[in-house]
Amino acid sequence: YPARASYDECVDYICECYDKAIELLPATIIDAEWGLPTAVAAAAYKARVLMWAASPLVNGNTDYADFKNKDGKQLINQTYDPKKWERAMQASDFAIRLAEGAGYKLYTTKANPELTPFEQAAEDYRCTFTEKDWNGEEFLFAKGDDDGMWALNYYSHPRAVQGNQKSWCGTVVPTLESVEMYYSKNGLPMDVDP
């Protein structure tokens, strides 16, 4: 079993994977392919990963001072690094430019002259999530039915299937393979710990 990598090492690896995906995937898909990833979605997710990595939650958070491997390796960086925000900003800017270049744009409702600019922006934001016929030009990664946005997460997780019966809430059930990757409380692989 490999030792745990630090949070920053995991972020770097995930970003490398997104960079490969950006190179390989198309920037857009047709409506019939909703749910399939695009280069724009990969760029957006990369930006989100880097924003989390820059946040005070894991960027110099000393609440994690004791979060270490058995060999003493620190898993959450204890020194705040403002350059992480720079990296997140560059990734976000790239994602926005890639999206705009591929024809994506923010959802807007019909302009209402009775609304202030703030009220119009609030209406646009509300309708982004509540209008029946959403603006497909804003979708970066969407599933092709109207089950709700939670369904994208639900259908992205493994589920056991017996006949026509699906397992309960696949979004909170880890696979056995992922559980077996962790050591027991005694620091041993599960199949070795007596």
Side-chain angles (χ1 to χ4, degrees):
Y1 291 95
R4 288 185 294 185
S6 70
Y7 184 88
D8 289 340
E9 290 169 327
C10 292
V11 166
D12 289 341
Y13 175 74
I14 291 167
C15 288
E16 285 176 28
C17 292
Y18 280 132
D19 286 340
K20 289 177 187 173
I22 292 166
E23 289 177 22
L24 296 172
L25 293 170
T28 61
I29 54 172
I30 59 173
D31 288 354
E33 294 175 339
W34 278 359
L36 296 179
T38 63
V40 174
Y45 275 113
K46 177 185 174 184
R48 178 176 256 186
V49 166
L50 290 171
M51 282 191 284
W52 271 100
S55 77
L57 181 65
V58 291
N59 186 2
N61 186 347
T62 56
D63 289 343
Y64 287 110
D66 294 331
F67 193 46
K68 301 177 182 179
N69 278 348
K70 289 195 181 286
D71 64 1
K73 178 180 180 176
Q74 186 71 52
L75 297 175
I76 301 290
N77 188 353
Q78 297 297 288
T79 306
Y80 176 78
D81 182 0
K83 290 184 181 179
K84 289 182 178 182
W85 284 112
E86 180 75 24
R87 187 177 179 200
M89 184 186 70
Q90 290 169 351
S92 298
D93 184 61
F94 174 79
I96 291 168
R97 290 178 190 278
L98 184 64
E100 289 175 342
Y104 291 95
K105 61 183 180 180
L106 293 177
Y107 176 88
T108 56
T109 58
K110 237 183 199 176
N112 182 344
E114 296 177 16
L115 298 178
T116 67
F118 177 83
E119 291 169 334
Q120 182 68 54
E123 179 71 3
D124 291 347
Y125 183 77
R126 184 186 68 78
C127 291
T128 296
F129 300 102
T130 59
E131 287 289 310
K132 180 164 178 48
D133 296 320
W134 296 335
N135 180 358
E137 293 173 334
E138 182 169 315
F139 284 146
L140 298 185
F141 195 27
K143 195 168 82 57
D145 64 25
D146 59 1
D147 285 347
M149 292 307 291
W150 67 270
L152 181 61
N153 289 330
Y154 179 81
Y155 289 113
S156 297
H157 288 78
R159 296 172 309 286
V161 177
Q162 276 185 318
N164 292 331
Q165 194 69 24
K166 292 181 180 174
S167 67
W168 175 82
C169 203
T171 56
V172 295
V173 182
T175 63
L176 182 58
E177 180 183 16
S178 66
V179 172
E180 289 175 339
M181 292 173 66
Y182 288 91
Y183 289 107
S184 71
K185 67 180 180 180
N186 299 317
L188 297 169
M190 297 295 188
D191 58 342
V192 176
D193 191 337

